[in-house]
């Protein structure tokens, strides 16, 4: 089963595509970011994100798409535009794929490392391990997207489903 | 010139459509809300909002669409889903109309009442006055949408343009 993980953002949308087989065996297919230029009207950046996500879904035909849930802890203003981008990403994935799942940061940490309080480097090491990569995936947004894809493959596809809203 | 004002939300998206002529003469064409049911997955509600806004733009063919900018002061969690809906509304209006403008609550208060600290009842009274309505428009979301449409007609179309991002 092809799973696409997405880490929402306005400047950088991380994506990671894996083929998940039973027994937590994963094949890495692709990862990277959809980047939008600064000093560009927000709505044009939203259009670029829609185009980028559409192209990725049409290329890999994921059966399921998993997104990281958004929490605002630091910067409210940044949070608003990230949520605007997230709405566009959700709707695009829903229209093209139909199977959309969401996971909180804690659910992702728990699924990847077995501990909800894990730090980013531990998660990235585990992503590298699960996907048999030579190096830690870069940038962080792409690593986060792979982490949510693995989370969904572990907990949603072959285990109990949760995280949808 | 046909101007559509939109007050973003997830449960209720307010809209107001006016025909604006020079000299602050306005004809009311339509107002109301796009409503989405509670206890429905967010992404399905986003799809309903996209459909509703699309139908309204295809019906009235506004030359310009004006949105209220979002500020989070009360409930962050509600703010996230409102911003997600707002992203969908922005992109839909951009794709179908192309001319999208945004105004802060203070800009709207200033434009409608001449005072940035005005309260909601004062704004609603002025909306009723400008549009020669018998009663104050209901619900509040629709009144807010008409207010942003009038704001754009006063400040954007015939005056200096501001508010785009």
């Amino acid at each position: 089963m092809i799973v696409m993980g997405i880490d929402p953002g306005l400047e950088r949308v991380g994506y990671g595509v894996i083929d998940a087989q039973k027994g937590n065996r994963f094949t890495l297919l692709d990862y990277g970011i959809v980047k939008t230029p600064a000093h560009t009207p927000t709505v044009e950046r939203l259009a670029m994100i829609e185009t980028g996500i559409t192209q990725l879904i049409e290329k890999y035909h994921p059966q399921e798409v998993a997104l990281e849930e958004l929490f605002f802890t630091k910067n409210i203003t940044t949070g608003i535009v990230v949520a605007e981008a997230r709405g566009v990403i959700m709707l695009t994935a829903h229209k093209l794929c139909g199977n959309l799942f969401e996971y909180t940061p804690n659910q992702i940490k728990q699924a990847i490392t077995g501990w909800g309080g894990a730090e980013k480097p531990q998660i990235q090491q585990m992503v590298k391990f699960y996907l048999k990569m030579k190096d830690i995936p870069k940038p962080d947004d792409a690593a986060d997207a792979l982490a949510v894809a693995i989370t969904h493959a572990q907990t949603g596809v072959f285990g109990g489903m949760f995280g949808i809203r």
Side-chain angles (χ1 to χ4, degrees), chain A residues 27-69:
Chain A
T27 306
L28 175 62
L29 298 181
D30 193 9
Y31 66 98
I33 56 169
V34 175
K35 198 165 163 32
T36 69
H39 310 300
T40 306
T42 299
V43 74
E44 290 181 24
R45 301 173 81 172
L46 296 179
M48 291 173 196
I49 289 170
E50 184 192 41
T51 302
I53 296 297
T54 297
Q55 288 170 346
L56 286 166
I57 292 179
E58 287 178 348
K59 182 171 179 184
Y60 292 107
H61 298 286
Q63 280 101 319
E64 307 198 329
V65 174
L67 259 74
E68 184 164 338
E69 270 193 27

Coordinates of all heavy atoms in Angstrom, one line a residue, chain A residues 27-69:
Chain A
T27 N 9.2 0.5 1.9 CA 10.1 0.8 0.9 C 10.0 2.3 0.6 O 8.8 2.8 0.4 CB 9.8 0.1 -0.4 OG1 9.8 -1.3 -0.1 CG2 10.8 0.4 -1.5
L28 N 11.1 3.0 0.7 CA 11.0 4.5 0.4 C 10.9 4.7 -1.1 O 11.6 4.2 -1.9 CB 12.4 5.1 0.9 CG 12.6 6.6 0.6 CD1 11.5 7.4 1.3 CD2 13.9 7.0 1.1
L29 N 9.9 5.5 -1.4 CA 9.7 5.9 -2.8 C 10.2 7.3 -3.2 O 10.8 7.5 -4.2 CB 8.2 5.7 -3.2 CG 7.6 4.3 -3.1 CD1 6.2 4.3 -3.5 CD2 8.4 3.3 -3.9
D30 N 9.9 8.2 -2.3 CA 10.3 9.6 -2.6 C 10.1 10.5 -1.3 O 9.3 10.1 -0.5 CB 9.4 10.2 -3.7 CG 10.0 11.5 -4.3 OD1 11.1 11.9 -3.9 OD2 9.3 12.1 -5.1
Y31 N 10.8 11.5 -1.3 CA 10.6 12.5 -0.2 C 11.2 13.9 -0.7 O 12.0 13.9 -1.6 CB 11.2 12.1 1.1 CG 12.7 12.0 1.2 CD1 13.5 13.1 1.7 CD2 13.4 10.9 0.7 CE1 14.8 13.0 1.7 CE2 14.8 10.8 0.7 CZ 15.5 11.9 1.2 OH 16.8 11.8 1.3
G32 N 10.7 14.9 0.0 CA 11.2 16.3 -0.4 C 10.2 17.3 0.1 O 9.5 17.1 1.0
I33 N 10.3 18.5 -0.5 CA 9.4 19.6 -0.1 C 8.8 20.3 -1.3 O 9.5 20.3 -2.4 CB 10.2 20.6 0.8 CG1 11.4 21.2 0.1 CG2 10.6 20.1 2.1 CD1 12.0 22.4 0.8
V34 N 7.6 20.8 -1.1 CA 7.1 21.8 -2.1 C 7.4 23.1 -1.5 O 6.9 23.4 -0.3 CB 5.5 21.6 -2.2 CG1 5.0 22.7 -3.1 CG2 5.2 20.2 -2.8
K35 N 8.1 23.9 -2.2 CA 8.6 25.2 -1.6 C 7.9 26.4 -2.3 O 7.7 26.3 -3.6 CB 10.1 25.3 -1.8 CG 10.8 26.4 -1.0 CD 12.3 26.1 -1.0 CE 13.1 27.4 -0.5 NZ 12.5 28.2 0.5
T36 N 7.5 27.4 -1.6 CA 6.9 28.6 -2.2 C 7.7 29.8 -1.9 O 8.3 29.9 -0.8 CB 5.4 28.8 -1.7 OG1 5.5 29.2 -0.4 CG2 4.6 27.5 -1.9
P37 N 7.8 30.7 -2.8 CA 8.7 31.9 -2.6 C 8.1 32.9 -1.6 O 6.9 33.2 -1.6 CB 8.8 32.5 -4.0 CG 7.6 32.0 -4.7 CD 7.2 30.7 -4.1
A38 N 9.0 33.4 -0.8 CA 8.6 34.5 0.1 C 8.3 35.7 -0.7 O 8.5 35.8 -1.9 CB 9.8 34.8 1.1
H39 N 7.7 36.7 -0.1 CA 7.3 38.0 -0.8 C 6.4 37.7 -1.9 O 6.5 38.4 -3.0 CB 8.6 38.8 -1.2 CG 9.6 38.9 -0.1 ND1 9.3 39.5 1.1 CD2 10.8 38.4 0.0 CE1 10.4 39.5 1.9 NE2 11.3 38.8 1.2
T40 N 5.5 36.8 -1.8 CA 4.5 36.4 -2.8 C 3.2 36.4 -2.1 O 3.1 35.9 -1.0 CB 4.8 35.0 -3.4 OG1 6.2 35.0 -3.8 CG2 3.9 34.7 -4.6
P41 N 2.1 37.0 -2.7 CA 0.8 36.9 -2.0 C 0.5 35.5 -1.6 O 0.7 34.6 -2.3 CB -0.1 37.4 -3.1 CG 0.7 38.3 -4.0 CD 2.1 37.7 -4.0
T42 N 0.0 35.5 -0.3 CA -0.4 34.2 0.3 C -1.2 33.3 -0.7 O -1.0 32.1 -0.8 CB -1.1 34.4 1.6 OG1 -0.3 35.1 2.5 CG2 -1.5 33.1 2.3
V43 N -2.2 33.9 -1.3 CA -3.1 33.1 -2.1 C -2.4 32.5 -3.3 O -2.7 31.4 -3.7 CB -4.3 34.0 -2.5 CG1 -4.0 35.0 -3.6 CG2 -5.5 33.1 -2.9
E44 N -1.4 33.2 -3.8 CA -0.6 32.6 -4.9 C 0.2 31.4 -4.4 O 0.4 30.4 -5.1 CB 0.3 33.6 -5.6 CG -0.5 34.6 -6.4 CD 0.4 35.7 -7.1 OE1 1.6 35.4 -7.3 OE2 -0.1 36.8 -7.3
R45 N 0.7 31.5 -3.2 CA 1.5 30.4 -2.6 C 0.6 29.2 -2.3 O 0.9 28.1 -2.5 CB 2.2 30.9 -1.3 CG 3.1 32.1 -1.6 CD 3.7 32.7 -0.3 NE 4.8 31.9 0.2 CZ 5.6 32.3 1.3 NH1 5.3 33.4 1.9 NH2 6.6 31.5 1.7
L46 N -0.7 29.5 -1.9 CA -1.7 28.4 -1.7 C -1.9 27.7 -3.1 O -2.0 26.5 -3.1 CB -3.0 29.0 -1.2 CG -2.9 29.6 0.2 CD1 -4.3 30.1 0.6 CD2 -2.4 28.6 1.3
A47 N -2.0 28.5 -4.1 CA -2.2 27.9 -5.5 C -1.0 27.0 -5.8 O -1.2 25.9 -6.4 CB -2.4 29.0 -6.5
M48 N 0.2 27.4 -5.5 CA 1.4 26.6 -5.8 C 1.4 25.3 -5.0 O 1.8 24.3 -5.5 CB 2.7 27.4 -5.5 CG 3.0 28.6 -6.4 SD 4.4 29.6 -5.7 CE 4.2 31.1 -6.6
I49 N 1.0 25.4 -3.8 CA 0.9 24.2 -2.9 C -0.1 23.3 -3.5 O 0.1 22.0 -3.6 CB 0.6 24.6 -1.5 CG1 1.8 25.3 -0.8 CG2 0.1 23.4 -0.6 CD1 1.5 26.0 0.5
E50 N -1.3 23.8 -3.9 CA -2.3 22.9 -4.5 C -1.7 22.2 -5.7 O -1.9 21.0 -5.9 CB -3.5 23.7 -4.9 CG -4.7 22.8 -5.4 CD -5.8 23.6 -6.1 OE1 -5.5 24.6 -6.8 OE2 -6.9 23.3 -5.9
T51 N -1.0 22.9 -6.6 CA -0.5 22.3 -7.8 C 0.6 21.3 -7.4 O 0.6 20.2 -8.0 CB 0.2 23.5 -8.6 OG1 -0.8 24.4 -8.9 CG2 0.8 22.9 -9.9
G52 N 1.5 21.6 -6.5 CA 2.5 20.7 -6.1 C 2.0 19.4 -5.5 O 2.4 18.3 -5.9
I53 N 1.0 19.5 -4.6 CA 0.4 18.3 -4.0 C -0.3 17.5 -5.0 O -0.3 16.2 -5.0 CB -0.5 18.7 -2.8 CG1 0.3 19.4 -1.7 CG2 -1.2 17.5 -2.2 CD1 1.4 18.5 -1.0
T54 N -1.0 18.2 -5.9 CA -1.8 17.5 -7.0 C -0.8 16.7 -7.8 O -1.0 15.5 -8.1 CB -2.5 18.5 -7.9 OG1 -3.5 19.2 -7.0 CG2 -3.2 17.8 -9.0
Q55 N 0.3 17.3 -8.2 CA 1.3 16.5 -9.1 C 1.9 15.3 -8.3 O 2.0 14.3 -9.0 CB 2.4 17.5 -9.5 CG 2.0 18.5 -10.5 CD 3.0 19.6 -10.7 OE1 4.0 19.8 -9.9 NE2 2.8 20.4 -11.8
L56 N 2.1 15.5 -7.1 CA 2.7 14.3 -6.3 C 1.7 13.2 -6.2 O 2.0 12.0 -6.3 CB 3.1 14.8 -4.9 CG 4.4 15.6 -4.9 CD1 4.6 16.3 -3.5 CD2 5.6 14.7 -5.2
I57 N 0.4 13.5 -5.9 CA -0.6 12.5 -5.8 C -0.9 11.8 -7.1 O -1.0 10.6 -7.2 CB -1.9 13.1 -5.2 CG1 -1.7 13.5 -3.7 CG2 -3.0 12.1 -5.2 CD1 -2.8 14.1 -3.0
E58 N -0.8 12.6 -8.2 CA -1.0 12.0 -9.5 C 0.2 11.2 -9.9 O 0.0 10.2 -10.7 CB -1.3 13.1 -10.5 CG -2.7 13.7 -10.4 CD -3.0 14.9 -11.3 OE1 -2.1 15.4 -12.0 OE2 -4.2 15.2 -11.4
K59 N 1.3 11.5 -9.4 CA 2.5 10.7 -9.7 C 2.5 9.3 -9.0 O 2.9 8.3 -9.6 CB 3.8 11.5 -9.4 CG 5.1 10.8 -9.8 CD 6.3 11.7 -9.6 CE 7.6 11.1 -10.0 NZ 8.7 11.9 -9.7
Y60 N 2.2 9.4 -7.7 CA 2.4 8.2 -6.9 C 1.1 7.4 -6.5 O 1.2 6.3 -6.0 CB 3.1 8.6 -5.6 CG 4.6 9.0 -5.8 CD1 5.0 10.3 -5.7 CD2 5.5 8.0 -6.2 CE1 6.3 10.7 -6.0 CE2 6.8 8.4 -6.5 CZ 7.2 9.7 -6.4 OH 8.5 10.1 -6.6
H61 N 0.0 8.1 -6.8 CA -1.3 7.4 -6.5 C -1.4 6.8 -5.1 O -1.7 5.6 -5.0 CB -1.7 6.4 -7.6 CG -1.8 7.0 -8.9 ND1 -2.8 7.7 -9.4 CD2 -0.9 6.9 -10.0 CE1 -2.6 8.1 -10.6 NE2 -1.5 7.6 -11.0
P62 N -1.1 7.5 -4.1 CA -1.2 6.9 -2.7 C -2.6 6.5 -2.4 O -3.6 7.2 -2.8 CB -0.8 8.1 -1.8 CG -1.1 9.3 -2.6 CD -0.8 9.0 -4.0
Q63 N -2.8 5.3 -1.8 CA -4.1 4.9 -1.4 C -4.5 5.7 -0.1 O -5.7 5.9 0.1 CB -4.1 3.4 -1.0 CG -4.2 2.5 -2.2 CD -2.9 1.9 -2.5 OE1 -1.8 2.6 -2.5 NE2 -2.9 0.6 -2.9
E64 N -3.6 6.1 0.7 CA -3.9 6.9 1.9 C -2.9 8.0 2.1 O -1.7 7.9 1.8 CB -4.0 6.0 3.1 CG -4.9 4.8 2.8 CD -5.4 4.0 4.0 OE1 -4.6 3.9 5.0 OE2 -6.5 3.5 3.9
V65 N -3.4 9.1 2.6 CA -2.6 10.3 2.9 C -2.7 10.6 4.4 O -3.8 10.6 4.9 CB -3.0 11.5 2.0 CG1 -2.2 12.8 2.5 CG2 -2.8 11.3 0.5
A66 N -1.5 10.8 5.0 CA -1.5 11.1 6.4 C -0.9 12.5 6.7 O 0.2 12.8 6.1 CB -0.7 10.0 7.2
L67 N -1.5 13.3 7.5 CA -1.1 14.6 7.8 C -0.7 14.8 9.3 O -1.4 14.2 10.1 CB -2.2 15.6 7.5 CG -2.1 16.5 6.2 CD1 -2.5 15.6 5.1 CD2 -3.0 17.6 6.3
E68 N 0.2 15.6 9.5 CA 0.5 16.0 10.9 C -0.5 17.0 11.4 O -0.8 18.0 10.7 CB 1.9 16.5 11.1 CG 2.2 16.8 12.6 CD 3.7 16.9 12.8 OE1 4.5 16.5 12.0 OE2 4.1 17.6 13.8
E69 N -1.1 16.8 12.6 CA -2.0 17.8 13.1 C -1.3 19.1 13.6 O -0.1 19.0 13.9 CB -2.8 17.3 14.3 CG -4.1 16.6 13.8 CD -5.1 16.4 15.0 OE1 -5.0 17.1 16.0 OE2 -5.9 15.4 14.9

